[in-house]
């Protein structure tokens, strides 16, 4: 009997680099890193799903990726016992993380430097062992020099801490209502004045556009009734925040 809690994903045939490839479509639960990894491996030919298979469940996806991890991380000649133990530990960690990636990916992005700037966590292990690059578009705009000087040195979590500290300091500096005599109200300009952050504290973020060498500027259609032809594309999973999301809110999309 099929597991009622198991998720299923429809497949779709597309033309990619002059060959027919089965890719997986998102279901109603929204995006997930596990699906992104699987589609990258399907596109680069590392794994395959038969064209007659209309849907794939979560367990099969995990098994496909786990088998690929094992195939690409076998023992090498001259490997010491310590190297073998470290490789096996990393492999076990990567495989154990795969089911978790169905629910999301916990990331702490870095605003400055590269689109590959992340604070490393164990959730990155499968990407590294499979040779997949994870990128983001939350980059500070270097043309906004004052903001860039502040934000480019921070991670997202560090920026949130700074913002909380700033808000706490401004609230403490505001006069208490209990210290004001009702017989002598403060001047209107003092009562209505708001404390604003200094220019160096204002943040301007410029999303970075990742531009693969593709003949099509549009992503593959999610409609199962049409085909898409893509050529000369670099295969990288990319985090794209939904409207109104912060980077950390990408961690639990499902």
């Amino acid at each position: 009997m099929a597991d009622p809690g198991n998720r299923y994903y429809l497949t779709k045939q597309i033309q990619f680099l002059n060959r027919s490839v089965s890719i997986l479509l998102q279901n109603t639960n929204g995006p997930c890193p596990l699906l992104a990894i699987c589609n990258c491996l399907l596109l680069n030919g590392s794994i395959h799903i038969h064209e007659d298979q209309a849907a794939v469940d979560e367990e099969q996806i995990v098994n496909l990726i786990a088998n690929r991890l094992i195939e690409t991380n076998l023992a090498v000649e001259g490997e010491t016992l310590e190297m073998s133990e470290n490789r096996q530990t990393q492999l076990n960690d990567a495989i154990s993380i795969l089911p978790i990636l169905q629910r999301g990916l916990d990331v702490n992005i870095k605003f400055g430097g590269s689109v590959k700037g992340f604070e490393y966590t164990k959730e990155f292990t499968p990407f590294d062992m499979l040779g997949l690059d994870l990128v983001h578009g939350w980059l500070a705009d270097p043309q906004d020099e004052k903001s860039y000087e502040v934000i480019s040195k921070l991670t997202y979590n560090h920026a949130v801490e700074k913002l909380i500290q700033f808000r706490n300091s401004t609230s403490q500096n505001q006069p208490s209502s209990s210290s004001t005599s009702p017989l002598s109200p403060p001047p209107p300009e003092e009562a209505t004045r708001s404390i604003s952050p200094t220019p160096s504290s204002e943040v301007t973020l410029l999303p970075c556009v990742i531009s693969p060498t593709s003949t099509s500027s549009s992503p593959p259609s999610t409609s199962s009734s049409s085909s898409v032809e893509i050529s000369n594309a670099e295969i990288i999973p990319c985090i794209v925040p939904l409207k109104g999301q912060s980077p950390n809110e990408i961690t639990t999309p499902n």
Side-chain angles (χ1 to χ4, degrees):
M1 180 180 296
D3 181 1
N6 207 1
R7 298 183 176 94
Y8 287 82
Y9 299 90
L10 298 177
T11 64
K12 175 184 176 181
Q13 288 290 309
I14 67 169
Q15 293 298 313
F16 184 78
L17 300 180
N18 298 319
R19 60 189 176 90
S20 180
V21 182
S22 293
I23 62 170
L24 301 179
L25 304 179
Q26 295 175 347
N27 59 20
T28 55
N29 292 312
C32 73
L34 187 67
L35 204 63
I37 292 176
C38 190
N39 277 334
C40 283
L41 297 178
L42 288 168
L43 290 174
N44 67 23
S46 298
I47 62 176
H48 303 277
I49 296 175
H50 197 276
E51 60 182 12
D52 293 336
Q53 190 166 356
V56 178
D57 64 22
E58 177 184 342
E59 183 178 357
Q60 184 177 355
I61 295 175
V62 170
N63 289 337
L64 282 170
I65 299 175
N67 289 336
R68 181 59 183 173
L69 279 166
I70 295 172
E71 292 171 359
T72 55
N73 291 278
L74 299 174
V76 296
E77 185 178 354
E79 186 177 62
T80 65
L81 178 60
E82 182 179 2
M83 292 170 59
S84 176
E85 291 176 347
N86 289 338
R87 176 182 52 77
Q88 190 61 45
T89 298
Q90 286 185 325
L91 183 59
N92 292 339
D93 289 343
I95 293 176
S96 67
I97 288 169
L98 294 179
I100 300 175
L101 296 181
Q102 171 66 32
R103 298 186 293 272
L105 177 64
D106 188 8
V107 296
N108 183 23
I109 59 99
K110 298 178 181 180
F111 290 114
S114 169
V115 294
K116 299 180 182 180
F118 294 90
E119 183 181 84
Y120 191 85
T121 62
K122 65 179 181 179
E123 285 81 4
F124 285 77
T125 307
F127 292 91
D128 288 347
M129 298 188 75
L130 291 167
L132 300 177
D133 289 330
L134 190 65
V135 301
H136 70 86
W138 292 75
L139 296 179
D141 183 0
Q143 295 181 349
D144 187 349
E145 296 180 359
K146 292 183 178 180
S147 298
Y148 185 82
E149 177 65 23
V150 175
I151 198 66
S152 63
K153 303 174 183 177
L154 305 178
T155 65
Y156 175 81
N157 289 345
H158 195 187
V160 170
E161 293 174 2
K162 292 283 189 181
L163 181 60
I164 293 174
Q165 292 173 3
F166 172 77
R167 288 177 175 173
N168 288 341
S169 65
T170 56
S171 62
Q172 291 172 0
N173 291 335
Q174 291 180 358
S176 173
S177 58
S178 60
S179 61
T180 303
S181 170
L183 298 179
S184 55
E189 64 272 16
E190 290 293 325
T192 59
R193 184 180 63 184
S194 62
I195 301 177
S196 302
T198 61
S200 62
S201 299
E202 295 175 353
V203 175
T204 301
L205 300 181
L206 177 65
C208 176
V209 178
I210 309 302
S211 180
T213 56
S214 170
T215 58
S216 172
S217 60
S218 302
S221 169
T222 57
S223 171
S224 59
S225 61
S226 61
S227 61
V228 178
E229 183 172 354
I230 305 174
S231 62
N232 301 326
E234 180 183 2
I235 303 168
I236 47 175
C238 181
I239 292 179
V240 180
L242 301 177
K243 183 177 181 180
Q245 276 192 320
S246 65
N248 272 11
E249 290 175 325
I250 304 170
T251 61
T252 56
N254 293 327

